[in-house]
């Protein structure tokens, strides 16, 4: 890559168009009008849909009096504007918005617009997918359907009439309850829907198409019967059982654990194959990515099943945390998302086991959120400004947001926390609320003082806790210092309360100390903890109570002790990770000499042996402990202070470690594999057994590729489920072995036509350890099944590539160039999805200088494109400036 040439391109480019405006949290003002009722009439067609909206508007007594009603639009032209039944000329366009001047206090405004769903590739607003019509309105998609005050603090009831051809759209769905249906002339029919619950426009949805339902009623705690439907294409009906069961379990759990009952007679979920994210919680009519609905053992892995259960739960829980109580403005997004993620995490913990689910959630936080917090896109869970709100549906708002609320729960205790959430639901039902409202309700209801805790909402960056300890008589003195790294726009920070569950064990006698919760509130703090022996080992941040990085130097024996013996599962996992991170980062950074590298590997191999042999573990937990830290987590651990990450060195060290484990534990791994291979698919122990098998194949692939190919081929050929097939094929696709092409081809043939499984086929190849991944990806981009218009397909190939450390970070920059090319090609088609590729390149500042220059040059090449979307413009420029 020629950097000099690239900067000439930049200099020659026409001046960048005006920046999209910066929206600030502090500028919030209530809307000047209320819209108690909204009526919508849809004349539906794939090529052309006509929308007539009638808004009942009234001056908002709580806002400044103005005559102008601002109705947001995005690419719309008004065919007609009427006020109180007469055509009005009293309006102008201001950019995309329609400004209407109204003389009185109360009016009816009727506006007709026309849209072209089949031209809509952004998948926001009304669009066509597989011959059906569906909508996505969060965050600002409703304004692509009709002119409306498209902001979450304007709540309205919706009465909707849908009309369309019966043959193309036999099923007509909308929010709320269906009130009427009937036939019209010319093979057309209609349905009328009414949603009695006032809602913001982002929760509006409609679906029209040829769909079939898997149905099953749910009886609520007060004895009402709710009709639940999972709508899919007829050929997918036999893959909907798990979704429906997950919905029923979610409904029951929210009653039992949060006291929340469902509030309509109908709950519809529709699966669509073209979708920007996971799913959407539209009132009474959730729209889902097919990936989070369809599952059977032949086509979905155990992890896919868990994904369906978790996302169904998430969207269902939004009915209270999001819909009944919504957000005042988009800066409050974590109010609904952080809380709902916490609720879905707690649900899945209850369904599948607390220890493993907690480890999985922390792994996601570290892989997705830590890099955000440490990079140019860092923002608090309640951001202060944005240009494009779609860019703030982030791991910070969602996952760190959940961690912040989880800390309140830990500090309050489960019962007091429930009092807090009860008060929140009670106090704010029917409102558009703020994060502050939530904190205040928890404070009042749970009886906590959260004054200082509010800093977690306003300060970005992952706190680092420096730990040191000394013995003083019968006590251990734990001293902690919190370091809050600077983030863009935030250089000075105040100490935050950091709750930590701790225990002091003794690694000589093996005695385990009692657990207690301490809260570090100042920059420095000292805590006296009782000793249970003369060789104390501190178990800290047990259960991962606080989303922080613990910095301490524990010797190998102490870590081996914690990994093998700690009574907190998370602490065991953490000790295994620390052991591996220490060894791998020392090796990758060149800080360890040859002898130290060997000793580091030996320690990990020894710990691994103990984990494989530990009869007290089930295989799910065993496989968590057997997992090496990801390349992305090692990147974070290496790029601290002045030290830069070297992805090539990290990859090499990690592969060498895998090889050492595979060679050092060969017979143990083979024995574990054989034992697990005997566990039947539907045995309750099957999920754990399959995870262990896949891990074993990975280690053997590093140490004995031929043997691994043989085992994986056999596993693939004899598999009776997708988990085993995928586990085998993931490993095979990384090997230079004839079995690779054979099995990839047979997999493709077997599943050709099944989009979700073909996505996997693209992913195996883009995520593999094969040395020619970039060439494979380039070829796959030309495959007849590849398309830039389907986000699942784009992600299956290119998100996988961006998450493949060896290929993406290839030292010549070819991986970076490929991702930048994708951003440029995808931006005009689907800006929301295009912008999601930017953060991978945005990590350039924390990487060694050679790669950093290449990444930066690619970002500059993207920045220099004409007509960038707001989405990509904002992400690229923040990544270059921040
Ligand atoms: N609110 C949705 C959720 O968290 C996600 C969402 C936000 C979304 N914006 C979207 C989904 C745009 C699809 C497209 O469940
Ligand atoms: Zn959500």
């Amino acid at each position: 890559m020629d950097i000099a040439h690239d900067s000439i391109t930049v200099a020659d480019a026409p001046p960048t168009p005006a920046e999209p405006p910066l929206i600030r949290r502090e500028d919030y003002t209530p809307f000047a009008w209320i819209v108690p009722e909204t009526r919508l009439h849809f004349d539906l067609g794939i090529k052309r849909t006509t929308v007539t909206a009638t808004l009942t508007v009234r001056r908002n007594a709580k806002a400044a009096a103005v005559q102008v009603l601002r109705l947001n639009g995005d690419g719309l032209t008004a065919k007609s504007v009427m006020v109180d039944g007469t055509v009005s000329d009293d309006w102008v366009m201001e950019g995309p918005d329609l400004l209407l001047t109204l003389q009185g206090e109360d009016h009816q405004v009727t506006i007709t617009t026309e849209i072209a769903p089949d031209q809509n590739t952004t998948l926001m607003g009304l669009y066509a997918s597989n011959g059906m019509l569906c909508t996505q309105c969060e965050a600002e998609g409703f304004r692509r359907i009709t002119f409306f005050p498209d902001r979450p603090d304007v709540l309205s009831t919706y009465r909707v009439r849908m009309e369309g051809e019966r043959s193309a759209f036999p099923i007509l769905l909308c929010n709320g309850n269906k009130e009427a249906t009937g036939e019209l002339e010319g093979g057309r029919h209609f349905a009328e829907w009414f949603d009695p619950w006032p809602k913001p426009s982002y929760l509006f949805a409609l679906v029209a198409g040829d769909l079939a339902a898997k149905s099953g009623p749910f009886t609520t705690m007060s004895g009402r019967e709710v009709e639940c439907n999972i709508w899919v294409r007829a050929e997918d009906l036999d893959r909907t059982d798990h979704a429906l069961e997950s919905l029923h379990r979610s409904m029951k759990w929210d009653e039992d654990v949060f006291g929340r009952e469902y509030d309509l007679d109908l709950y519809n979920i529709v699966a669509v194959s073209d979708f920007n994210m996971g799913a959407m919680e539209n009132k009474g009519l959730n729209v889902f990515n097919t990936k989070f609905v369809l599952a059977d053992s032949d086509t979905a892995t155990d992890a896919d099943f868990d994904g369906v259960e978790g996302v169904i739960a998430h969207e269902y829980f939004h009915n209270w945390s999001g819909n009944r109580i919504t957000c005042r403005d988009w800066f409050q997004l974590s109010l609904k998302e952080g809380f709902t993620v916490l609720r879905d995490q707690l649900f899945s913990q209850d369904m599948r086991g607390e220890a493993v689910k907690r480890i999985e959630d922390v792994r996601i936080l570290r892989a997705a959120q830590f890099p955000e917090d440490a990079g140019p896109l860092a923002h608090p869970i309640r951001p202060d400004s944005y240009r494009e709100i779609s860019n703030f549906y982030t791991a910070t708002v969602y996952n760190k947001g959940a961690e912040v609320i989880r800390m309140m729960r830990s500090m309050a205790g489960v019962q007091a926390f429930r009092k807090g959430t009860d008060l929140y639901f009670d106090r704010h039902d029917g409102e558009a609320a703020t994060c502050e409202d939530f904190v205040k309700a928890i404070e009042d209801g749970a009886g906590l003082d959260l004054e200082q805790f509010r800093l977690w909402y306003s300060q970005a960056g992952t706190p680092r806790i420096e730990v040191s300890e000394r013995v003083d008589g019968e006590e251990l003195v734990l001293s902690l210092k919190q370091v809050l790294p600077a983030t863009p726009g935030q250089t000075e920070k105040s100490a935050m309360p950091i709750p930590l569950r701790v225990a002091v064990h003794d690694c000589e006698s093996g005695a385990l100390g009692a657990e207690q919760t301490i809260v570090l509130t100042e920059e420095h703090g000292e805590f006296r903890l009782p000793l249970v022996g003369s060789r104390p080992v501190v178990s800290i941040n047990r259960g991962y109570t606080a989303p922080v990085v613990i910095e301490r130097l524990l010797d190998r024996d102490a870590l081996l002790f914690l990994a093998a013996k700690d009574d907190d599962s998370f602490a065991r996992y953490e000790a295994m990770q620390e052991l591996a991170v220490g060894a791998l980062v020392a090796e990758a950074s060149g800080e360890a000499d040859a002898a130290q590298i060997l000793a580091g590997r030996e320690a990990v191999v020894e710990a691994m042996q103990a984990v494989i042999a530990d009869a007290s573990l089930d295989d799910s937990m065993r496989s968590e402990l057997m997992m090496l830290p990801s390349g992305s987590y090692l990147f974070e651990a290496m790029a601290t202070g002045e030290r830069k990450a070297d992805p090539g060195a990290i990859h090499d060290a990690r592969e060498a470690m895998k090889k050492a484990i595979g060679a050092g534990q060969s017979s143990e791994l083979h024995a574990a594999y054989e034992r697990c291979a005997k566990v039947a698919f539907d045995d309750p122990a099957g999920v754990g057994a399959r995870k262990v098998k896949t891990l074993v194949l990975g280690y053997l692939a590093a140490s004995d590729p031929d043997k691994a190919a043989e085992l994986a081929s056999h596993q693939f050929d004899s598999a009776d489920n997708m988990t085993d097939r995928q586990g085998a094929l993931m490993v095979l696709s990384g090997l230079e072995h004839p079995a690779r092409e054979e099995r990839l081809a047979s997999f493709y043939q077997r599943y050709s036509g099944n989009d979700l499984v073909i996505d996997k086929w693209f992913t195996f190849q883009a995520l593999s350890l094969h040395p020619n991944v970039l060439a494979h990806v380039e070829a796959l981009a030309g495959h007849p099944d590849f398309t830039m218009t389907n986000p699942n397909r784009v992600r299956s190939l290119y998100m996988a590539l961006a998450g493949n450390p060896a290929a993406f970070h290839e030292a010549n920059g070819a991986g970076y160039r490929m991702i930048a090319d994708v951003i440029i090609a995808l931006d005009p088609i689907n800006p929301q999805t295009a912008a999601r590729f930017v953060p991978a390149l945005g990590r350039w500042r924390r990487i060694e200088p050679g790669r950093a220059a290449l990444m930066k040059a690619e970002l500059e090449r993207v920045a220099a494109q004409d007509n960038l979307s707001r989405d990509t413009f904002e992400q690229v420029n923040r990544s270059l400036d921040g």
Side-chain angles (χ1 to χ4, degrees), residues 138 279 281 314-315 318 336-337 340-341 398:
E138 189 178 4
E281 70 263 24
H314 180 96
E315 306 312 329
H318 268 315
K336 74 178 177 80
E337 295 304 346
T340 304
V341 170
Y398 276 62

PDB file of all heavy atoms in Angstrom, residues 138 279 281 314-315 318 336-337 340-341 398, ligand 2:
ATOM      1  N   GLU A 138     -37.003   1.911  14.460  1.00  0.00           N
ATOM      2  CA  GLU A 138     -35.987   2.409  15.386  1.00  0.00           C
ATOM      3  C   GLU A 138     -34.673   2.569  14.634  1.00  0.00           C
ATOM      4  O   GLU A 138     -34.314   1.670  13.877  1.00  0.00           O
ATOM      5  CB  GLU A 138     -35.764   1.438  16.560  1.00  0.00           C
ATOM      6  CG  GLU A 138     -34.862   2.073  17.626  1.00  0.00           C
ATOM      7  CD  GLU A 138     -34.634   1.167  18.846  1.00  0.00           C
ATOM      8  OE1 GLU A 138     -35.114   0.026  18.845  1.00  0.00           O
ATOM      9  OE2 GLU A 138     -33.980   1.626  19.771  1.00  0.00           O
ATOM     10  N   ALA A 279     -33.011  -8.108  16.164  1.00  0.00           N
ATOM     11  CA  ALA A 279     -34.465  -8.116  16.221  1.00  0.00           C
ATOM     12  C   ALA A 279     -34.956  -6.772  16.720  1.00  0.00           C
ATOM     13  O   ALA A 279     -34.161  -5.944  17.156  1.00  0.00           O
ATOM     14  CB  ALA A 279     -34.958  -9.221  17.157  1.00  0.00           C
ATOM     15  N   GLU A 281     -38.262  -4.735  18.915  1.00  0.00           N
ATOM     16  CA  GLU A 281     -39.311  -4.957  19.922  1.00  0.00           C
ATOM     17  C   GLU A 281     -40.627  -4.241  19.658  1.00  0.00           C
ATOM     18  O   GLU A 281     -41.396  -4.010  20.604  1.00  0.00           O
ATOM     19  CB  GLU A 281     -38.768  -4.511  21.282  1.00  0.00           C
ATOM     20  CG  GLU A 281     -38.574  -2.981  21.457  1.00  0.00           C
ATOM     21  CD  GLU A 281     -37.172  -2.473  21.214  1.00  0.00           C
ATOM     22  OE1 GLU A 281     -36.416  -3.146  20.479  1.00  0.00           O
ATOM     23  OE2 GLU A 281     -36.818  -1.397  21.731  1.00  0.00           O
ATOM     24  N   HIS A 314     -34.975 -11.040  25.083  1.00  0.00           N
ATOM     25  CA  HIS A 314     -34.631  -9.609  25.064  1.00  0.00           C
ATOM     26  C   HIS A 314     -35.791  -8.770  24.515  1.00  0.00           C
ATOM     27  O   HIS A 314     -36.224  -7.806  25.141  1.00  0.00           O
ATOM     28  CB  HIS A 314     -33.364  -9.422  24.228  1.00  0.00           C
ATOM     29  CG  HIS A 314     -32.899  -8.009  24.117  1.00  0.00           C
ATOM     30  ND1 HIS A 314     -31.928  -7.488  24.941  1.00  0.00           N
ATOM     31  CD2 HIS A 314     -33.289  -6.998  23.306  1.00  0.00           C
ATOM     32  CE1 HIS A 314     -31.734  -6.210  24.630  1.00  0.00           C
ATOM     33  NE2 HIS A 314     -32.545  -5.888  23.630  1.00  0.00           N
ATOM     34  N   GLU A 315     -36.287  -9.164  23.362  1.00  0.00           N
ATOM     35  CA  GLU A 315     -37.366  -8.369  22.747  1.00  0.00           C
ATOM     36  C   GLU A 315     -38.631  -8.453  23.589  1.00  0.00           C
ATOM     37  O   GLU A 315     -39.352  -7.468  23.745  1.00  0.00           O
ATOM     38  CB  GLU A 315     -37.646  -8.829  21.310  1.00  0.00           C
ATOM     39  CG  GLU A 315     -36.433  -8.871  20.380  1.00  0.00           C
ATOM     40  CD  GLU A 315     -35.571  -7.627  20.419  1.00  0.00           C
ATOM     41  OE1 GLU A 315     -36.089  -6.520  20.654  1.00  0.00           O
ATOM     42  OE2 GLU A 315     -34.335  -7.749  20.216  1.00  0.00           O
ATOM     43  N   HIS A 318     -38.439  -6.115  26.515  1.00  0.00           N
ATOM     44  CA  HIS A 318     -38.614  -4.708  26.138  1.00  0.00           C
ATOM     45  C   HIS A 318     -40.066  -4.254  26.311  1.00  0.00           C
ATOM     46  O   HIS A 318     -40.321  -3.058  26.402  1.00  0.00           O
ATOM     47  CB  HIS A 318     -38.223  -4.488  24.675  1.00  0.00           C
ATOM     48  CG  HIS A 318     -36.795  -4.080  24.459  1.00  0.00           C
ATOM     49  ND1 HIS A 318     -36.163  -3.126  25.218  1.00  0.00           N
ATOM     50  CD2 HIS A 318     -35.885  -4.478  23.519  1.00  0.00           C
ATOM     51  CE1 HIS A 318     -34.912  -2.959  24.770  1.00  0.00           C
ATOM     52  NE2 HIS A 318     -34.717  -3.769  23.740  1.00  0.00           N
ATOM     53  N   LYS A 336     -33.298   1.701  28.194  1.00  0.00           N
ATOM     54  CA  LYS A 336     -34.006   0.490  27.800  1.00  0.00           C
ATOM     55  C   LYS A 336     -33.054  -0.639  27.417  1.00  0.00           C
ATOM     56  O   LYS A 336     -33.324  -1.790  27.724  1.00  0.00           O
ATOM     57  CB  LYS A 336     -35.022   0.776  26.682  1.00  0.00           C
ATOM     58  CG  LYS A 336     -34.468   1.026  25.285  1.00  0.00           C
ATOM     59  CD  LYS A 336     -35.621   1.231  24.288  1.00  0.00           C
ATOM     60  CE  LYS A 336     -35.178   1.570  22.871  1.00  0.00           C
ATOM     61  NZ  LYS A 336     -34.749   0.389  22.084  1.00  0.00           N
ATOM     62  N   GLU A 337     -31.938  -0.313  26.768  1.00  0.00           N
ATOM     63  CA  GLU A 337     -31.082  -1.396  26.265  1.00  0.00           C
ATOM     64  C   GLU A 337     -30.211  -2.010  27.363  1.00  0.00           C
ATOM     65  O   GLU A 337     -30.089  -3.234  27.457  1.00  0.00           O
ATOM     66  CB  GLU A 337     -30.231  -0.913  25.087  1.00  0.00           C
ATOM     67  CG  GLU A 337     -31.044  -0.524  23.847  1.00  0.00           C
ATOM     68  CD  GLU A 337     -31.955  -1.627  23.330  1.00  0.00           C
ATOM     69  OE1 GLU A 337     -31.801  -2.803  23.735  1.00  0.00           O
ATOM     70  OE2 GLU A 337     -32.858  -1.322  22.515  1.00  0.00           O
ATOM     71  N   THR A 340     -32.526  -3.979  29.595  1.00  0.00           N
ATOM     72  CA  THR A 340     -33.076  -5.162  28.940  1.00  0.00           C
ATOM     73  C   THR A 340     -32.000  -6.221  28.706  1.00  0.00           C
ATOM     74  O   THR A 340     -32.271  -7.417  28.826  1.00  0.00           O
ATOM     75  CB  THR A 340     -33.804  -4.772  27.644  1.00  0.00           C
ATOM     76  OG1 THR A 340     -34.813  -3.809  27.970  1.00  0.00           O
ATOM     77  CG2 THR A 340     -34.461  -5.968  26.985  1.00  0.00           C
ATOM     78  N   VAL A 341     -30.786  -5.796  28.404  1.00  0.00           N
ATOM     79  CA  VAL A 341     -29.707  -6.789  28.285  1.00  0.00           C
ATOM     80  C   VAL A 341     -29.491  -7.467  29.640  1.00  0.00           C
ATOM     81  O   VAL A 341     -29.374  -8.700  29.716  1.00  0.00           O
ATOM     82  CB  VAL A 341     -28.391  -6.151  27.779  1.00  0.00           C
ATOM     83  CG1 VAL A 341     -27.228  -7.137  27.908  1.00  0.00           C
ATOM     84  CG2 VAL A 341     -28.536  -5.711  26.322  1.00  0.00           C
ATOM     85  N   TYR A 398     -25.238  -1.097  25.293  1.00  0.00           N
ATOM     86  CA  TYR A 398     -25.938  -2.345  25.605  1.00  0.00           C
ATOM     87  C   TYR A 398     -25.249  -3.103  26.746  1.00  0.00           C
ATOM     88  O   TYR A 398     -25.841  -3.343  27.792  1.00  0.00           O
ATOM     89  CB  TYR A 398     -25.980  -3.252  24.358  1.00  0.00           C
ATOM     90  CG  TYR A 398     -27.119  -2.962  23.395  1.00  0.00           C
ATOM     91  CD1 TYR A 398     -27.232  -1.736  22.757  1.00  0.00           C
ATOM     92  CD2 TYR A 398     -28.072  -3.929  23.101  1.00  0.00           C
ATOM     93  CE1 TYR A 398     -28.268  -1.486  21.858  1.00  0.00           C
ATOM     94  CE2 TYR A 398     -29.106  -3.694  22.211  1.00  0.00           C
ATOM     95  CZ  TYR A 398     -29.203  -2.471  21.588  1.00  0.00           C
ATOM     96  OH  TYR A 398     -30.232  -2.232  20.709  1.00  0.00           O
TER      97      TYR A 398
HETATM   98 ZN1  LIG B   2     -32.883  -4.091  22.857  1.00  0.00          ZN
END
